[in-house]
Structures are given as structure tokens and as C-alpha cells.
Amino acid sequence: MYCYLCENEYVGITQTWCKECRKIKNLMNVYGRDRILTILETCCLRNPEQLENKIMKQKKIEESESPGDETYMKPSDYKKKLRDSK
């Protein structure tokens, strides 16, 4: 039988939860299902505004790291540079 929560790990016939999912279940027993769900929603999930901000930040990072057109060399110029360096 597979774990009831993650449905990925085989747990045998007598158990219903894998080791990791049992930890989650125990946290839910201690703090309550609603509290754990609230924590997951606020820490792990992003709303559309947060997603847009993340995309914009990533685009800025990629733009600053990627070389621009000024680094491009025509093949003939590159060959000349190689000849001159010898």
C-alpha cells in the first residue's frame, strides 16, 4: 500500500503514512489542520501579484547577467583578432 498523503512511497500493508508524511500529520495534530494550512498558504503559495514581482525580478537578473550586443564579434573580426594575437 502507498502512503495516504503523498501517494508516492510504498509503506507496506500495516502502515498508512510514510516517514515524512507522518511528520506532517503529527504537526497537524499538535498545531491543528487550519494553522498548518494557513502556514503553507502564506509561506509556500504566491498570489498573482507576488508571481508578477518574482518574474520581473528574475528578468532584471537575467538582463544584467546576459552579454549585450556589444560583445558580439563578426566572424571576420574574430579571425583577425586571433591572427593578431599570434
Side-chain angles (χ1 to χ4, degrees):
M1 180 168 55
Y2 287 90
C3 174
Y4 281 178
L5 184 61
C6 69
E7 299 177 345
N8 288 327
E9 194 169 329
Y10 184 76
V11 292
I13 297 172
T14 59
Q15 295 181 339
T16 55
W17 307 87
C18 66
K19 187 169 71 171
E20 291 81 14
C21 292
R22 181 164 296 284
K23 290 179 185 179
I24 295 170
K25 180 183 172 289
N26 289 340
L27 287 170
M28 288 174 60
N29 288 339
V30 172
Y31 295 105
R33 182 188 66 195
D34 294 334
R35 178 72 177 132
I36 297 298
L37 186 59
T38 302
I39 291 169
L40 289 172
E41 287 174 343
T42 56
C43 296
C44 298
L45 299 179
R46 295 180 181 269
N47 63 35
E49 184 179 317
Q50 290 171 321
L51 284 172
E52 191 63 34
N53 287 338
K54 180 70 174 176
I55 291 169
M56 295 302 291
K57 285 181 183 178
Q58 188 61 33
K59 283 183 180 179
K60 287 180 183 178
I61 290 170
E62 289 174 2
E63 287 173 0
S64 66
E65 290 177 353
S66 65
D69 289 337
E70 65 276 355
T71 61
Y72 176 75
M73 294 181 85
K74 293 181 185 176
S76 59
D77 294 339
Y78 182 72
K79 288 179 185 177
K80 287 179 187 177
K81 184 178 179 181
L82 284 177
R83 276 189 246 136
D84 294 340
S85 66
K86 288 182 181 181

